[in-house]
Amino acid sequence: QVQLVESGGGLVQAGGSLRLSCAASERSFNSKAIAWFRQAPGKEREFVANINWSGGGTTYADSVKGRFTIYRDHAKNTVYLQMNSLKPEDTAVYYCAAGVTISVTPWGYDYWGQGTQVTVSS
């Protein structure tokens, strides 16, 4: 089993930036596909971005393309989500997830972090 811990959330004004981190407890994390999802109160969990096991393949939701970047550091067992040009609609709890196959839905991921709150003010 892999334990994931998100960090880096906070309060930022529109147009600002945050970098989220997803740190894994085990090196086996490096062989898994990783995704970021987000969930606002009363909303379904929404796909944000994913990255394959090697870090060479990424996918982004249309809503974040050109603003967010997902990347990973295998030496640190960590995946990052760099978020620039933040908008109020980006406000949500952000979760990282790991799985053996890459997808844009939550159901294919085996391991989840506890989430980190991102709040973007107008």
Side-chain angles (χ1 to χ4, degrees), residues 61-81:
D62 288 342
S63 59
V64 306
K65 285 180 181 177
R67 300 189 297 120
F68 291 11
T69 303
I70 185 171
Y71 61 100
R72 65 195 305 168
D73 185 337
H74 287 94
K76 296 182 179 295
N77 295 342
T78 300
V79 170
Y80 302 94
L81 184 69

Side-chain angles (χ1 to χ4, degrees), residues 9-18 83 86-88 91 118-122:
L11 175 64
V12 65
Q13 292 186 355
S17 298
L18 288 171
M83 306 186 296
L86 283 162
K87 304 175 181 180
T91 295
V118 172
T119 303
V120 184
S121 63
S122 300

